[in-house]
Each structure stands twice: as C-alpha cells, then as structure tokens.
C-alpha cells in the first residue's frame, strides 16, 4: 500500500478536500500529518488552536484516507525556547544550537521532557480515538543534524546522575575508566566533566559511556511518548521514522517499544552521504547504489521485529545533499516495489506537494508547487499504485538464510578510536551486505545477542564488544559464523581484554590477535589461499591453532577456521571479499547466483523480484510468464515471477 506526507497548515484550506480526493484517485491509502505543527497547535502557552486540525482530519478521513498523526516534539515553538533556554542543544565546541530550524532540543532537558509529555498528552487526549486515526509517529528522525550528542549543562547534570546509577561509587568509576592514566581520577561524581574540549583525545571509556548515556536518553524519551499515546489511543499502533546510515543511538533499544519501525528512504541523497569514491558516485548518481535502500529495508525490518514502513520515500530530487540530481525515469516506481519486496507494509512519499517556501522548497513532491499538477515522481507513484493493485495481497516475508549482526556500539567504538581514519564500521557492514547480495541471497539483520540457531550463515563484520548475551547466541549458532576485524577487541569499559583479542571469542576461534596495523590509502597487503586479493585499511597479526585457509604475503594467517567459526583478520578488497562470501556460502550449503553489479534479487513468499539499476537488460533466471515486467529485466525497471 501507499501513503503520503501532507502538511495542511502549509496550504489554503479550500485546497484540502481536492488534495484528499486526488490522493485517493492516485492510489494513496495513508496520510501522515502534524509532526512539525506545535506552533499551530499551541500559539501561546495553554492556548490551544485545534480547529484547523479538527477540520483537516475530518476532511482527510471523510475522503477515506487513514491518518498517521505525528507528535510535534521535533520543533518546539519560539515561546517555549524563550521560556526554557536550557532546552536547546550545545555542540561539541560548546556553542548553542539555536532556534530557527528544527531538532533544537537536548534529550537531557527535564523541562523539555515535561513540556513534551504535556503536548503529547493534549494531542492524544483530543485525537487518540478519532475514527480516521490508525497510528502515530513519535517525534521525527531522532538525532538528525547531529543532535544526539549534546554538550551542555543539562547534559552534564544528567550524565552524572547516569554514572551514579551505573557505578555507585567514584572508585568503581575510576577503575572502569582506567582513570589512573594521566591522573584522570575523580573523588566524586560531581567532579566528572563532559568528554569534550580536552587538550587532546578524551578518555575513550568516558566517551563510550557518554554515547551509551545519550542513546539511552533517546530510547527513554521515546518510551515516555509511547506510554502516553497508548494510554489515550488504544488500538492504534506507534512507529518512529529512522534515517539512513545513521548510527548515533541504538535503534534496537528504541524499536523495543514500537509496534514496528519506519525509515525515511532517500536513495540518491544517501549516495552523497556515504563514503563512496568519485567513480561510484558518478555511476549511481541518478539511480542510487542498488544496495542502499535494500540495506535499510532489511535493517529496519529487523528493528521492527519483522515489520516496517517507508515513512518518507524520495519522489524526485531532494534539497539537502551536496548535489541533488533528479532520479532517472523509472526509479521512483522501482524503489516503491523494491520496498514492498523487502517486506514493507506501506511506502509513503515525502511529500504530497513541493513546498514553495522555506528550507525545503527545492525538495520535490508528488505534485508541483503550483497546485494539483503531478510531478514526474507523482506520475510514477500512480503507476506503482497500479502495479500493487495488480499484484494484490503480497505473501508474508520469510526469514532469510543469512543474518548480519548489526551493532551500534561497534560504530561508536571505532569512531572514538578508529586507529585508521578510514576504518568506518557502517561502510564495512555495507560492503559485506553488498557482497552477499551479489550472490542473489536475502538477508536479515539481527541485534547482538539475538537467536541465531535458524540461520545457515551468520555474518559479524565487526563485533568489538562481545557481551555475555552475544557470546551465548554465537555459541548456540548452528550454521557457519564469520567474524571480521576488531571482533572481541574491547571489554565493556573500552580496554583490551586481559587474554587479548578476540577476547570471549578465543575459545570459539582458538586464536588470538597480538598486533594490529592500519594501512594508508594505496597500501595493499596480498592475500592468497582459499581467497585471493589483498587487505586494505586494516590487518591483524593472528596467532592460531586453528586451520589457516588464507595467508598474507608474509605468510601470517589472514583467514582461519575452527569448526563452524571463521575469522577474517583484515579489511578485504572487493575481490577478496567476493571470494570470502562465496566460500562461506559453499560451507553453509547455500545455493547462489552471481549477479551483475546493477541487478539484485529479493524473495517475498513465493514471489521473486528482480531489480535492474543499470542500463543493460538482464535475463531473469526463470521460465514462463512473469506476473509483472518482462523476462528480460528492463533497465531501471523490475520483473516479478512466482517461484
């Protein structure tokens, strides 16, 4: 099904009914509203102006649309900021981040928690049982614009309280943080400072705890809103719209108290955000990379415990990347069907009409800004709606045979001490995902510690801290399990394990890492044996009693195996990674198909979808007549057949 994001407060009221009717005619079922409208709800403290929203919801619902109502806490109004100036976030250099855009609050402000609870309760009391309301979105894009980590007085106060709860005494804190180093010991929690603005690198253990603290603040803030909404709006679901390549808080924690996850899909914008080289950026500049959107569909399906929406789908050029090309013709339709292939319940486009004013006026919508004229993306959305109608109800999404363990702390740890400036956890995971999907396989993402017994192949591209729960899950895994570099390299308190890396994994791998080396760009270390290619960015010196499957040029182990566990002691280049994935699949007994770089497959029940991001037709591997598309998958198009 399809949805759209709509802002009735942006348009003349006499347009609303026509907009709603046009949405229905286009094939839209759901409409999200209200997530930025606090100043319209409450122009002054305790003076609520609900009339316009009453009329908007009645108009949209009267047209047969199902409403998703957003809580407006991403944009506190000016009068509230003036009343509580301490609610604004502070950047890492100690500068206030002021009013005039959005997300101008810190999660540590107790005043803002109270005000957020107050507006959410007022909204939920009034509309929680509205006949057209089917669900809620909390806030909007938590942490966008680097607003998870704030560095102000409110944050310090809350951090000290968090440390007291977690460590109980300054002595335990000093021991955990290794504060004897550089005389960093404190005599009380009131002496703890924020881990920023230091002369050189701050204590990495303090930095990691600060990230954990702020991540838990996000989850607790969201839980507070969910509790209020559930109390006043029974029978309606709650979601939150996460973002692409965003790792500043633990999404698994937030997902625990949502009914399902959502994310905002901007495939072309994310090409500019991801650290691709120029050649790849040029190659994918108007289609996106064929794994960017699917990576996040699969991740957020995991965060949502099997369910997700695309709450915002790019319908044309966006406005926020360094360059913002229009999508190649056919891509908006392709992205829509691709999301459904990966299990999306709904794809909701951002937005119904392009704004003609303010910060996002260069961001496309389904309609041009001059009224009811469809944009190119809007015309493709209409075709996608017809595609979905022809397909009918889609089968349930089955568990994949391959799982990737996705660990938000791994990003924090490697960002705090990368050791090599280009060691980027999200990039490493993405490349492993890309390589396994090039073999035609479906993928699930799982949290560290999630059950692994039913997966034929489990990939952990990097798992620096192996918690007790994660260790139990890995020990219980029955399939092939592959670890990448830096796995087991840190304790919970950011120190090297006493028995050396890979720490708790030593008994699974019968090996230990005695030295690591980051490699400058252009430095390559050859790999030969069961896989061939070279290491780049990172390599490790491994002492092992396990079987060595591949070695570095100096004869040291590069890939080792012990029973069903493998360890790759480097960041591999494309050739080595491709061979590694093929080797793992053979060991796991998985059937594969080597796909061109522009083509990907995805299965949903008994349906197989093939998507072609390239410029050359590709013959799909089936006989008979497809349900949609052609036997040769057309460029910037797709084919669907029954398996």
């Amino acid at each position: 099904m399809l949805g759209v994001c709509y802002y009735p407060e942006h348009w003349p009221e006499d347009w609303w009914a026509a907009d709603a009717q046009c949405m229905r005619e286009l094939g839209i079922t759901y409409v999200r509203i209200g997530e930025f409208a606090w100043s319209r709800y409450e122009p002054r403290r305790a003076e609520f102006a609900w009339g316009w929203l009453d009329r908007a919801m009645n108009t949209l619902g009267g047209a047969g649309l199902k409403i998703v109502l957003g809580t407006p806490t991403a944009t506190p109004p000016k009068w509230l900021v003036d009343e509580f100036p301490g609610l604004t976030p502070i950047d890492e250099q100690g500068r206030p981040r002021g009013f005039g855009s959005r997300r101008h609050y810190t999660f540590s402000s107790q005043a803002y928690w109270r005000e957020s609870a107050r507006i959410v309760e007022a909204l939920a009391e009034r509309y929680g049982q509205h006949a057209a309301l089917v669900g809620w979105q909390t806030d909007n894009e938590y942490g966008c614009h680097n607003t998870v980590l704030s560095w102000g007085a409110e944050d310090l106060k809350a951090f000290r309280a968090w440390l007291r709860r977690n460590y109980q005494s300054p002595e335990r804190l000093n021991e955990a943080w290794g504060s004897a180093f550089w005389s960093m010991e404190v005599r009380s929690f009131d002496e703890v400072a924020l881990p920023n603005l230091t002369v050189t690198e701050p204590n990495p253990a303090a930095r990691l705890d600060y990230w954990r603290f702020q991540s838990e603040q996000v989850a607790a803030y969201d839980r507070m809103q969910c509790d209020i909404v559930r109390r006043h709006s029974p029978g309606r679901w709650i979601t939150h719209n996460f973002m692409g390549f965003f790792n500043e808080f633990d999404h698994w924690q937030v997902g625990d108290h949502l009914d399902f996850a959502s994310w905002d899909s901007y495939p072309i914008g994310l090409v500019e955000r991801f650290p691709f080289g120029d050649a790849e950026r040029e190659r994918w500049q108007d289609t996106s990379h064929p794994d960017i959107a699917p990576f996040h569909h699969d991740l957020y399906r995991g965060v949502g415990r099997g369910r997700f929406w695309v709450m915002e789908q790019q319908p044309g050029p966006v406005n926020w990347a360094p360059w913002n090309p229009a999508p190649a013709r056919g891509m908006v339709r392709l992205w829509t069907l691709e999301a459904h292939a990966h299990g999306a319940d709904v794809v909701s486009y951002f937005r119904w009409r392009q704004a003609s004013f303010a910060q996002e006026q260069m961001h496309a919508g389904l309609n041009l800004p001059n009224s009811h004229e469809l944009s190119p993306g809007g015309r493709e959305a209409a075709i996608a709606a017809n595609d979905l109608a022809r397909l009918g109800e889609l089968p349930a999404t089955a568990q994949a045979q391959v799982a990737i363990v996705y660990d938000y702390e791994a990003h924090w740890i490697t960002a705090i001490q990368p050791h090599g400036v280009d060691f980027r956890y999200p990039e490493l995971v993405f490349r492993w995902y890309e390589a396994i999907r090039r073999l035609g396989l479906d993928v699930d993402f799982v949290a560290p510690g999630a059950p692994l017994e039913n997966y034929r192949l489990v990939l952990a591209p990097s798992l620096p801290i192996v918690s007790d729960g994660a260790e139990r899950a890995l020990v219980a895994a029955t399939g092939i399990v592959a670890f990448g570099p830096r796995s087991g390299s840190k304790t919970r308190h950011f120190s090297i394990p006493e028995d050396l890396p890979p720490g708790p994994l030593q008994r699974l791998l019968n090996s230990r890492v005695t030295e690591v080396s980051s490699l400058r760009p252009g430095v390559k270390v050859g790999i030969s044996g069961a896989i061939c290619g070279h290491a780049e960015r990172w390599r490790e010196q491994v002492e092992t009693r396990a079987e060595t499957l591949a070695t570095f040029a100096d004869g040291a182990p590069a890939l080792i195996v012990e029973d069903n566990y493998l360890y790759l002691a480097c960041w591999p280049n494309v050739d080595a990674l491709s061979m590694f994935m093929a080797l793992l699949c053979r060991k796991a007994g998985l059937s594969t198909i080597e796909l061109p770089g522009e083509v990907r497959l995805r299965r949903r029940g008994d349906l197989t979808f093939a998507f072609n991001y390239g410029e050359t037709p590709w013959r799909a591997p089936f006989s008979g007549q497809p349900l949609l598309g052609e036997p040769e998958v057309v460029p910037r198009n797709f084919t669907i057949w029954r398996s």
Side-chain angles (χ1 to χ4, degrees):
M1 286 188 282
L2 300 181
V4 72
C5 305
Y6 185 56
Y7 300 91
E9 68 271 27
H10 294 177
W11 309 110
E13 190 165 339
D14 59 7
W15 287 18
W16 295 355
D19 282 345
Q21 184 61 35
C22 289
M23 290 175 197
R24 295 296 291 145
E25 292 172 357
L26 192 67
I28 300 292
T29 301
Y30 294 89
V31 57
R32 184 195 72 177
I33 64 172
E35 76 274 16
F36 296 126
W38 193 337
S39 66
R40 287 295 175 98
Y41 296 155
E42 191 180 21
R44 285 166 292 279
R45 173 172 292 284
E47 294 183 17
F48 293 103
W50 299 121
W52 70 273
L53 187 57
D54 292 346
R55 296 189 297 275
M57 290 186 68
N58 291 337
T59 298
L60 296 167
L65 292 162
K66 299 178 180 181
I67 296 173
V68 180
L69 187 55
T71 66
T73 49
T75 51
K78 183 63 163 63
W79 61 261
L80 185 60
V81 174
D82 290 343
E83 189 173 339
F84 298 107
L87 69 81
T88 54
I90 305 298
D91 75 9
E92 194 166 354
Q93 301 307 310
R95 299 168 299 199
R97 306 187 71 184
F99 179 84
S101 59
R102 62 179 185 175
R103 298 225 55 81
H104 41 282
Y105 71 85
T106 169
F107 291 97
S108 297
S109 169
Q110 289 301 304
Y112 194 62
W113 274 55
R114 293 192 300 270
E115 292 299 313
S116 297
R118 186 180 62 81
I119 189 64
V120 171
E121 186 142 32
L123 195 65
E125 281 182 338
R126 186 171 185 90
Y127 299 105
Q129 299 188 54
H130 191 286
L133 182 72
V134 295
W136 292 81
Q137 175 191 291
T138 54
D139 204 270
N140 187 82
E141 295 183 338
Y142 285 136
C144 191
H145 318 301
N146 299 312
T147 53
V148 170
L149 300 182
S150 175
W151 305 88
E154 294 281 342
D155 306 286
L156 177 57
K157 179 181 176 182
F159 182 45
R160 287 170 173 170
W162 184 90
L163 293 173
R164 285 188 181 94
R165 291 193 300 273
N166 282 274
Y167 289 102
Q168 302 297 311
S169 72
E171 292 75 21
R172 291 178 63 183
L173 176 67
N174 287 327
E175 179 67 24
W177 284 5
S179 298
F181 194 82
W182 284 354
S183 291
M184 292 183 293
E185 291 160 310
V186 296
R187 296 165 297 173
S188 74
F189 290 108
D190 290 336
E191 290 186 346
V192 172
L194 294 176
N196 70 324
L197 298 178
T198 53
V199 173
T200 184
E201 178 185 1
N203 187 332
R207 189 83 178 201
L208 179 58
D209 266 350
Y210 194 65
W211 221 320
R212 287 175 176 142
F213 149 71
Q214 293 283 25
S215 178
E216 290 179 19
Q217 294 281 85
V218 177
Y221 180 79
D222 189 74
R223 187 178 297 110
M224 172 269 289
Q225 294 203 17
C226 290
D227 289 345
I228 294 169
V229 168
R230 288 198 171 97
R231 190 163 62 246
H232 295 289
S233 191
R236 278 77 174 178
W237 45 257
I238 306 174
T239 191
H240 176 77
N241 57 329
F242 300 103
M243 294 178 289
F245 294 127
F246 192 80
N247 297 277
E248 304 302 289
F249 64 91
D250 189 331
H251 294 37
W252 300 110
Q253 289 181 350
V254 175
D256 280 346
H257 45 84
L258 301 173
D259 293 297
F260 58 84
S262 299
W263 82 284
D264 295 345
S265 178
Y266 294 96
I268 290 178
L270 290 174
V271 169
E272 294 294 335
R273 287 283 174 89
F274 192 77
F276 290 121
D278 288 342
E280 280 190 285
R281 283 211 174 98
E282 291 172 12
R283 181 181 185 184
W284 307 119
Q285 62 95 24
D286 63 356
T287 64
S288 185
H289 187 290
D291 291 307
I292 280 182
F295 178 96
H296 293 94
H297 298 328
D298 291 341
L299 174 60
Y300 290 121
R301 190 181 63 251
V303 171
R305 298 180 302 283
R307 290 188 61 200
F308 78 99
W309 278 31
V310 174
M311 190 60 79
E312 298 181 13
Q313 174 60 62
Q314 177 175 358
V318 300
N319 67 301
W320 43 262
W323 289 271
N324 297 286
R329 295 295 174 256
M331 292 309 301
V332 173
R333 177 186 177 222
L334 183 153
W335 294 328
T336 303
L337 270 292
E338 186 175 55
H340 284 89
H342 284 258
D345 292 341
V346 171
V347 172
S348 173
Y349 300 98
F350 184 86
R351 48 189 281 165
W352 173 245
R353 179 181 292 108
Q354 181 176 347
S356 58
F357 54 90
Q359 284 94 327
E360 293 181 346
Q361 61 185 271
M362 299 300 288
H363 192 301
L366 294 183
N367 287 271
L368 301 179
N370 61 344
S371 188
H372 295 104
E373 182 181 352
L374 287 176
S375 68
R379 293 193 290 272
E380 288 191 32
I383 298 170
N386 184 61
D387 294 332
L388 292 168
R390 289 176 61 189
L391 287 172
E393 185 175 353
L394 294 172
T397 302
Q399 179 177 289
Q401 295 179 306
V402 179
I404 294 179
V405 179
Y406 198 85
D407 180 25
Y408 288 93
E409 280 199 346
H411 166 68
W412 308 341
I413 290 162
T414 53
I416 290 167
Q417 277 195 344
H419 199 59
V421 69
D422 54 0
F423 194 108
R424 293 180 285 257
Y425 173 78
E427 184 179 1
L428 180 65
V429 179
F430 180 81
R431 293 306 189 186
W432 282 46
Y433 176 87
E434 174 189 35
I436 199 70
R437 289 200 73 228
R438 284 285 302 270
L439 296 174
L441 294 168
D442 299 333
V443 176
D444 290 341
F445 283 91
V446 298
L452 302 172
E453 292 93 327
N454 295 323
Y455 289 103
R456 302 271 291 276
L457 175 60
V458 176
L459 306 176
S462 187
L463 190 63
I465 295 176
V466 181
S467 67
D468 292 343
E471 184 181 4
R472 286 192 296 270
L474 292 163
V475 169
T478 54
I480 298 298
V481 181
F483 300 98
R486 303 182 79 160
S487 292
S489 62
K490 300 295 179 187
T491 69
R492 174 168 175 78
H493 299 299
F494 213 119
S495 58
I496 297 170
E498 286 186 8
D499 52 355
L500 299 182
L505 301 179
Q506 281 200 31
R507 68 189 185 97
L508 300 181
L509 294 164
N510 206 11
S511 305
R512 65 177 192 163
V513 176
T514 58
E515 188 177 55
V516 300
S517 180
S518 58
L519 309 177
R520 293 180 59 83
V523 175
K524 301 176 181 180
V525 179
I527 302 172
S528 60
I531 65 172
C532 297
H534 62 259
E536 54 191 21
R537 306 193 194 194
W538 186 274
R539 69 158 288 186
E540 297 173 349
Q541 191 74 31
V542 177
E543 293 180 356
T544 184
R545 292 184 295 277
E547 180 184 357
T548 298
L549 298 180
T551 59
F552 294 117
D554 59 8
L559 174 63
I560 58 102
V561 60
E562 179 81 359
D563 298 325
N564 58 318
Y565 300 96
L566 292 90
Y567 188 87
L568 182 63
C570 67
W571 185 302
N573 77 324
V574 172
D575 292 340
L577 183 57
S578 298
M579 294 183 70
F580 181 44
M581 291 300 157
L583 172 66
L584 294 173
C585 290
R586 289 195 298 272
K587 285 183 171 291
L590 294 172
S591 298
T592 62
I593 175 172
E594 191 167 346
L595 297 173
E598 302 84 7
V599 174
R600 296 293 184 273
L601 301 180
R602 174 68 200 184
R603 296 153 197 86
R604 180 165 176 169
D606 63 349
L607 300 183
T608 300
F609 298 69
F611 299 95
N612 187 350
Y613 278 66
E615 299 178 351
T616 304
W618 181 73
R619 180 75 190 189
F622 76 100
S623 57
Q625 195 62 28
L627 297 176
L628 280 177
E630 303 297 329
E632 278 205 328
V633 188
V634 177
R636 284 69 184 274
N637 212 316
F638 56 87
T639 296
I640 307 170
W641 65 92
R642 202 172 298 281
S643 303

